[in-house]
Amino acid sequence: MKKIIFDCDNTIGVENCDVDDGLTLLYLLGCKDVEILGITNCFGNNETETVYANTLSFLKEIGRSDIKVYKGGLTAEDYENEATDFIVDTLNKEEEVHILATGSLTNIAGALVKDEAAFNKVKSITLMGGITSPLVVGGLTINELNFSVDYEATFKVLTSGVPISIATGNNCLKVIFEVEKFKENLLSFGTETGKYIVDKTNYWFERNEKKYGIKAFCNWDVTAGSYLVSPNNFTDDIAYYKLSKEDLKTGFLRKSEEGDHNSVLNLPQITNEEGFVREVYRGFKEADIKL
């Protein structure tokens, strides 16, 4: 059983806000070898207060209010919060805890600052964020919005020395989900879950088509979750990095050479695209929810 703390800026169902954190949670709930120890909320897609209220509402909607939710920092470097306390307490109490973080890294850095010894007990940290080159969607260059929104926290976490894997924006873009095929596959489940996901995400796909002119989307955060749960569809890419706060203001991860680095990071790449897509739909289909 893989024990996971899920730190996210979940805004599925919030007008003009992304759906991928919510999809990631649904995917995790379809993984029988995963135990979600708790959900910690951060800012990114929206303000923390909105994310927290939305996550509670979402869990109630899917019949999973048994999962505890903890409110995180409200602004960059706001480390005194219940999410940070929960992370530290859990790392001190449980063994082999994995952290999956798909928003700003304020809460994760807060745990490091509050109790470095506890932080160093983490089994692994898997993140969605960062770029290694300009991120282009539908011909438009888009900003990185996870690492950059609290770059000081990101710098602390990425240079901490604990095992870190990152699904970068660039690597996530390698597999694009066509919206119509996405809906078709979900409805083919013949379940309330499939129909629920389609209904819950329609607004976002319509918004993306208007903004980018494409009838497709990238499953950003789900990519990170899938790597943590089912890494066999990926190939690890471990390298030296020379990170700076200036670079991280745009989420940029700069490669370096041994001896001239301050971080060693794994940026896994999807190498079994069909297997990855099948795994994502499997998680959705088997999501343990009660509608």
Side-chain angles (χ1 to χ4, degrees):
M1 185 66 68
K2 190 164 285 186
K3 295 181 284 189
I4 295 175
I5 296 173
F6 183 30
D7 188 85
C8 63
D9 53 342
N10 171 42
T11 52
I12 190 169
V14 177
E15 187 177 1
N16 292 321
C17 288
D18 209 339
V19 302
D20 54 344
D21 297 85
L23 289 177
T24 304
L25 177 56
L26 291 170
Y27 166 75
L28 293 176
L29 291 174
C31 299
K32 307 309 178 187
D33 56 347
V34 164
E35 178 185 2
I36 301 175
L37 300 176
I39 298 173
T40 50
N41 284 156
C42 59
F43 59 90
N45 290 332
N46 209 309
E47 296 178 351
T48 304
E49 295 280 9
T50 299
V51 170
Y52 177 69
N54 187 65
T55 301
L56 290 174
S57 175
F58 181 54
L59 288 172
K60 182 177 181 180
E61 192 171 87
I62 63 174
R64 292 306 308 265
S65 293
D66 57 299
I67 302 173
K68 300 299 183 185
V69 184
Y70 302 87
K71 189 189 300 181
L74 303 181
T75 59
E77 300 183 83
D78 177 11
Y79 299 151
E80 291 296 326
N81 57 74
E82 63 181 21
T84 289
D85 291 343
F86 170 75
I87 293 169
V88 168
D89 292 345
T90 303
L91 290 174
N92 276 323
K93 181 176 66 175
E94 301 276 355
E95 293 184 355
E96 297 197 339
V97 174
H98 302 264
I99 294 175
L100 172 63
T102 57
S104 59
L105 298 186
T106 307
N107 303 328
I108 315 302
L112 170 60
V113 170
K114 182 172 184 179
D115 189 339
E116 186 172 359
F119 185 83
N120 287 331
K121 295 176 183 178
V122 71
K123 179 70 173 178
S124 74
I125 296 179
T126 303
L127 310 172
M128 189 281 130
I131 57 173
T132 53
S133 62
L135 202 57
V136 181
V137 177
L140 297 176
T141 300
I142 63 174
N143 295 328
E144 195 282 338
L145 296 175
N146 282 356
F147 289 1
S148 56
V149 292
D150 188 354
Y151 62 88
E152 294 272 4
T154 301
F155 184 81
K156 285 182 173 69
V157 173
L158 297 191
T159 58
S160 65
V162 302
I164 295 177
S165 297
I166 304 173
T168 65
N170 305 91
N171 285 344
C172 289
L173 271 176
K174 292 181 178 177
V175 176
I176 297 295
F177 288 71
E178 296 179 4
V179 171
E180 292 307 315
K181 192 171 184 180
F182 179 72
K183 293 178 180 179
E184 180 183 326
N185 285 334
L186 290 170
L187 294 175
S188 74
F189 297 168
T191 64
E192 285 298 311
T193 299
K195 184 176 183 302
Y196 171 78
I197 296 173
V198 170
D199 292 342
K200 193 73 175 178
T201 55
N202 261 330
Y203 77 96
W204 184 246
F205 303 143
E206 290 171 0
R207 176 259 189 195
N208 279 354
E209 184 178 352
K210 289 177 183 177
K211 184 169 183 177
Y212 301 111
I214 55 174
K215 296 182 179 181
F217 75 106
C218 182
N219 244 325
W220 309 100
D221 295 345
V222 180
T223 304
S226 179
Y227 172 75
L228 176 56
V229 175
S230 187
N232 52 298
N233 293 314
F234 298 75
T235 297
D236 289 340
D237 184 4
I238 302 171
Y240 298 105
Y241 288 81
K242 184 65 174 289
L243 305 177
S244 71
K245 294 176 184 178
E246 191 62 32
D247 279 342
L248 290 173
K249 288 180 181 178
T250 60
F252 183 67
L253 304 173
R254 187 180 300 276
K255 263 190 176 182
S256 186
E257 301 292 334
E258 184 177 7
D260 184 34
H261 68 283
N262 55 5
S263 184
V264 178
L265 302 171
N266 177 32
L267 273 56
Q269 301 197 30
I270 303 168
T271 46
N272 181 359
E273 294 185 8
E274 290 184 2
F276 165 69
V277 172
R278 281 197 304 270
E279 169 62 13
V280 170
Y281 284 121
R282 182 210 58 77
F284 291 155
K285 185 175 183 177
E286 298 178 13
D288 183 13
I289 64 177
K290 302 171 182 66
L291 297 172

